[in-house]
Amino acid sequence: MHILIAEDNQDHLELIVDMLRSSFGTQCKIHHYGSLQEAVAYLDRQRVDIFLCDLKLPDSPIHNTVERIKALEDAPPIIVLTSLHDDELAQQLVKEGIQDFLPKDELTPSQLVRACHYAIERKKLTHSLLEQNED
């Protein structure tokens, strides 16, 4: 699995990477950037299976973060990892196209892995349904 992470907090990043490595092992390829601009530039060059993104990045306000990712052609499934506990914001962002909204302080390795797998499958299903509608 190829995972991109946009996270500016080094402590949070280490916890997330440890969870991913303990669950996916050596089959997991992880790239990390501390800003949205760097992560988006990477997505322009490289396809990933999943994008784990903090909402509060130094170069992007919360709503702009998701909008910029969604605007990418062939955007990967997006899981927002955040310190915020805001159910209304979570519902709004899911309606806007993210796959999941997970509070970092409640995150477990099994929850993160399950969310990644489910997000990828939902994205595939959505893509398939869109193709069928076009036909």
Side-chain angles (χ1 to χ4, degrees), residues 66-133:
V66 174
E67 285 302 316
R68 284 185 62 194
I69 298 165
K70 283 180 16 185
L72 297 171
E73 191 170 318
D74 197 26
I78 304 161
I79 296 176
V80 168
L81 302 176
T82 182
S83 298
L84 299 175
H85 289 269
D86 187 335
D87 289 337
E88 285 183 34
L89 178 60
Q91 289 176 358
Q92 177 186 346
L93 293 177
V94 168
K95 285 179 185 176
E96 291 177 11
I98 70 160
Q99 295 294 322
D100 217 332
F101 183 101
L102 303 172
K104 293 177 196 173
D105 62 347
E106 298 174 0
L107 199 58
T108 65
S110 62
Q111 179 187 31
L112 181 57
V113 168
R114 187 171 45 252
C116 288
H117 286 299
Y118 291 175
I120 291 167
E121 291 306 313
R122 280 192 300 270
K123 184 75 174 186
K124 286 179 187 175
L125 178 61
T126 300
H127 183 71
S128 175
L129 290 172
L130 289 172
E131 282 182 345
Q132 288 177 7
N133 279 344

Side-chain angles (χ1 to χ4, degrees), residues 32-95:
H32 158 261
Y33 294 97
S35 73
L36 185 61
Q37 182 176 345
E38 293 172 309
V40 168
Y42 183 79
L43 287 173
D44 285 340
R45 301 184 314 269
Q46 183 70 44
R47 185 167 169 69
V48 300
D49 296 309
I50 192 90
F51 183 21
L52 306 177
C53 187
D54 186 3
L55 276 182
K56 290 185 176 183
L57 293 166
D59 62 337
S60 183
I62 290 173
H63 293 287
N64 189 40
T65 299
V66 174
E67 285 302 316
R68 284 185 62 194
I69 298 165
K70 283 180 16 185
L72 297 171
E73 191 170 318
D74 197 26
I78 304 161
I79 296 176
V80 168
L81 302 176
T82 182
S83 298
L84 299 175
H85 289 269
D86 187 335
D87 289 337
E88 285 183 34
L89 178 60
Q91 289 176 358
Q92 177 186 346
L93 293 177
V94 168
K95 285 179 185 176

